[in-house]
């Protein structure tokens, strides 16, 4: 039988590996070469000799996002896709605008924890813990307040004020990824078979078809 020390050592390793964020860089930077055809974990590096300041820069985050859509919100990302110099650097930023009553619907970031700061407005935020508790942890935030959404957990925001709300959030990945729960489950291509969703949600086939039609 394995010793308890070995067992807990292995457990700690598995735990750390499962929670780890982006791998640490092995060089000063690896500015993304957006023309490279090489597929790897992240993006291939541009020759460091031709890297320039603009590779580490972007602009426009002062501009309000257009919230005229069914959700009443708009995410403006600043990830490695917008700033090639973020490649391999374990961090990114977003601005989110919310119309009054607007929501950022339940979603998860498979690769990142998010820390959010309210610039303007009042925002209800929440995340749900894993099975079996599925506890909703929620709070109403005001201008200047900060809230953390732990990596992988389903979370949302809603503008509960009468004015537009704005947040800036930092995420612990160059590419946080987004899985919007409703879209992933009801809008996948090809579709998840109806009978699976009928049993999963304990509803009639018609209800599944109705929700699908919205995606
Ligand atoms: C905002 O989006 C709506 C819907 O797509 C569009 O009709 C409208 O022109 C946009 N407004 C601006 C200022 O771009
Ligand atoms: C929002 O507007 C309603 C109706 O005008 C008002 O009763 C309420 O106090 C306002 N709420 C805030 C947070 O300003």
């Amino acid at each position: 039988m394995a010793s308890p020390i070995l067992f807990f050592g292995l457990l700690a390793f598995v735990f750390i590996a499962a929670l780890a964020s982006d791998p640490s860089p092995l060089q000063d930077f690896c500015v993304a070469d957006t023309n490279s055809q090489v597929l790897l974990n992240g993006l291939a590096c541009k020759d460091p000799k031709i890297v320039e300041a603009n590779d580490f820069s972007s602009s426009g985050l002062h501009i309000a996002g257009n919230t005229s859509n069914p959700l009443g919100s708009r995410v403006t990302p600043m990830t490695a896709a917008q700033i090639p110099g973020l490649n391999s650097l374990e961090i990114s930023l977003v601005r989110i605008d919310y119309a009054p009553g607007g929501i950022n619907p339940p979603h998860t970031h498979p690769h990142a924890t998010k820390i959010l700061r309210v610039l303007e407005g009042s925002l209800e935020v929440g995340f749900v813990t894993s099975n079996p508790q599925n506890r909703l942890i929620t709070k109403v935030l005001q201008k200047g307040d900060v809230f953390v959404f732990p990596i992988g957990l389903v979370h949302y925001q809603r503008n509960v004020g009468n004015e537009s709300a704005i947040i800036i959030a930092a995420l612990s990945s160059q590419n946080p990824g987004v899985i919007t729960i409703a879209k992933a489950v009801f809008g996948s291509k090809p579709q998840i078979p109806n009978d699976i969703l009928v049993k999963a949600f304990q509803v009639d086939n018609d209800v599944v078809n109705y929700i699908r039609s919205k995606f």
Side-chain angles (χ1 to χ4, degrees):
M1 191 187 145
S3 79
I5 290 171
L6 180 63
F7 174 75
F8 285 112
L10 276 175
L11 194 66
F13 175 76
V14 169
F15 187 69
I16 290 163
L19 286 186
S21 180
D22 294 0
S24 296
L26 304 176
Q27 53 210 336
D28 279 357
F29 49 74
C30 166
V31 171
D33 174 0
T34 48
N35 297 319
S36 172
Q37 300 299 310
V38 180
L39 297 180
L40 66 160
N41 187 20
L43 299 156
C45 307
K46 192 169 165 178
D47 180 348
K49 291 194 285 298
I50 60 167
V51 159
E52 45 189 50
N54 279 344
D55 290 322
F56 299 93
S57 172
S58 187
S59 56
L61 223 52
H62 62 298
I63 298 168
N66 186 343
T67 58
S68 297
N69 57 61
L71 297 174
S73 73
R74 174 73 59 183
V75 178
T76 308
M78 288 287 173
T79 67
Q82 288 75 32
I83 307 179
L86 273 182
N87 188 37
S88 82
L89 293 185
E90 310 166 59
I91 196 167
S92 59
L93 196 71
V94 294
R95 169 186 171 131
I96 309 179
D97 290 88
Y98 312 82
I103 65 160
N104 187 9
H107 64 282
T108 90
H109 301 293
H111 321 140
T113 288
K114 171 156 78 185
I115 181 165
L116 164 162
R117 176 209 195 268
V118 180
L119 294 184
E120 296 293 343
S122 306
L123 217 56
E124 174 194 329
V125 299
F127 66 81
V128 179
T129 67
S130 297
N131 295 352
Q133 287 82 15
N134 297 134
R135 179 177 161 217
L136 174 64
I137 296 184
T138 181
K139 188 170 164 60
V140 174
L141 308 178
Q142 309 297 343
K143 182 173 180 167
D145 290 350
V146 170
F147 196 81
V148 174
F149 301 92
I151 184 169
L153 300 188
V154 174
H155 61 282
Y156 67 87
Q157 300 103 35
R158 168 163 57 168
N159 181 357
V160 290
N162 288 339
E163 310 288 333
S164 295
I166 309 170
I167 66 101
I168 291 280
L171 295 116
S172 61
S173 172
Q174 68 173 53
N175 173 27
V178 187
I179 300 171
T180 306
I181 307 305
K183 215 158 78 177
V185 174
F186 290 97
S188 70
K189 293 186 199 71
Q191 296 180 344
I192 297 176
N194 269 38
D195 61 307
I196 292 180
L197 299 184
V198 163
K199 279 195 183 143
F201 289 87
Q202 298 285 298
V203 294
D204 294 339
N205 202 49
D206 290 350
V207 178
V208 170
N209 285 334
Y210 177 73
I211 300 177
R212 262 197 213 295
S213 71
K214 303 290 176 189
F215 297 93

